[in-house]
Amino acid sequence: DIQMTQSPSSMSASVGDRVTFTCRASQTINKYLNWYQQKPGKAPKLLIYSGSSLQSGVPSRFSGSGSGTDFTLTISSLQPEDFATYYCQQSFSTPLTFGGGTKVDI
Amino acid sequence: EVQLVESGGDLLQPGGSLRLSCATSGFSFSSHAMTWVRQAPGKGLEWVSSVSASGGSTYYADSVEGRFTISRDNSKNTLFLQMNSLRAEDTAVYYCAKDRITISWDFDYWGQGTLVTVSS
């Protein structure tokens, strides 16, 4: 199984900050890495698919990069509605696996 | 508008069985793989099972293989998860999710979740 490791597990940030999260796969997954945002009590929301493709309707302040084993999600200017938990997920092979999440709070 | 609505969650004892449903609308259900993802209280996301658009191929996490069965009724636009031999560690919110394209293994729409609690 492919293990997904996210870092950090939590972080504190301020509105307007540029923040970057990291996700590492235990083996190469090419570009098959997706990012989700989840707020408390809500379902996850797809932000980025295939490593760097912005899902329709997602603000352009979100961007993804990477391939192989190392990936990043960047929020260029953190907004109040961005305080949430972010998960990466590999779609290279089953069993599909998620990272443990990065929680962003104030 | 795409909608996914789960139902069937309940409180039950270890060893029990439960069938979850996910009623969908607003997209061509028979053209998309579908997936169940769960989230234990206070924990992260865990993939449970997926089914191809036709229903002919199914995939399971090791933790549920042999106990859970995913299926779909394309005539009713509904996804199911039959859960048998339930354990305390199966306690979670269960989400159904739609593949972004036919079979992409990334999920652009999710239901609101249904809570399954396994406890004696």
Side-chain angles (χ1 to χ4, degrees):
Chain A
D1 298 2
I2 300 173
Q3 309 302 319
M4 307 301 296
T5 303
Q6 288 186 245
S7 60
S9 57
S10 65
M11 65 184 303
S12 296
S14 301
V15 172
D17 284 353
R18 179 183 179 90
V19 296
T20 298
F21 317 127
T22 296
C23 179
R24 175 166 290 174
S26 60
Q27 63 188 74
T28 184
I29 57 171
N30 295 336
K31 64 176 182 178
Y32 297 105
L33 189 284
N34 314 300
W35 291 97
Y36 300 85
Q37 175 194 69
Q38 187 180 33
K39 297 180 180 180
K42 300 294 186 181
K45 173 186 176 182
L46 179 64
L47 301 175
I48 301 286
Y49 62 91
S50 298
S52 59
S53 296
L54 190 68
Q55 172 65 3
S56 175
V58 174
S60 59
R61 62 180 180 273
F62 291 92
S63 64
S65 64
S67 65
T69 60
D70 294 321
F71 300 84
T72 59
L73 173 68
T74 298
I75 308 175
S76 60
S77 178
L78 199 66
Q79 298 302 299
E81 60 269 30
D82 300 337
F83 291 95
T85 300
Y86 294 84
Y87 293 94
C88 64
Q89 175 240 332
Q90 64 84 12
S91 50
F92 179 76
S93 65
T94 59
L96 306 178
T97 45
F98 290 87
T102 295
K103 184 178 180 180
V104 180
D105 55 24
I106 300 174
Chain B
E1 179 190 7
V2 173
Q3 290 193 326
L4 292 79
V5 180
E6 301 97 337
S7 61
D10 204 350
L11 167 64
L12 61 164
Q13 294 186 340
S17 296
L18 200 61
R19 190 194 200 199
L20 304 183
S21 299
C22 173
T24 76
S25 61
F27 68 101
S28 179
F29 180 74
S30 61
S31 297
H32 292 264
M34 296 292 294
T35 289
W36 289 97
V37 174
R38 68 185 180 184
Q39 187 168 37
K43 302 298 184 182
L45 301 170
E46 179 188 14
W47 173 76
V48 173
S49 181
S50 297
V51 61
S52 63
S54 68
S57 297
T58 57
Y59 311 83
Y60 298 94
D62 287 346
S63 58
V64 307
E65 178 88 55
R67 299 188 298 123
F68 291 10
T69 302
I70 192 171
S71 62
R72 62 192 297 160
D73 185 339
N74 284 350
S75 69
K76 296 183 178 179
N77 297 335
T78 303
L79 175 71
F80 302 101
L81 185 68
Q82 177 67 42
M83 310 165 67
N84 298 330
S85 303
L86 281 160
R87 306 166 179 167
E89 54 265 35
D90 296 319
T91 294
V93 173
Y94 285 73
Y95 296 101
C96 64
K98 164 192 168 291
D99 262 43
R100 181 178 50 84
I101 56 177
T102 300
I103 184 164
S104 54
W105 299 138
D106 53 56
F107 315 119
D108 61 347
Y109 286 92
W110 298 62
Q112 83 288 353
T114 188
L115 177 62
V116 174
T117 303
V118 184
S119 175
S120 55

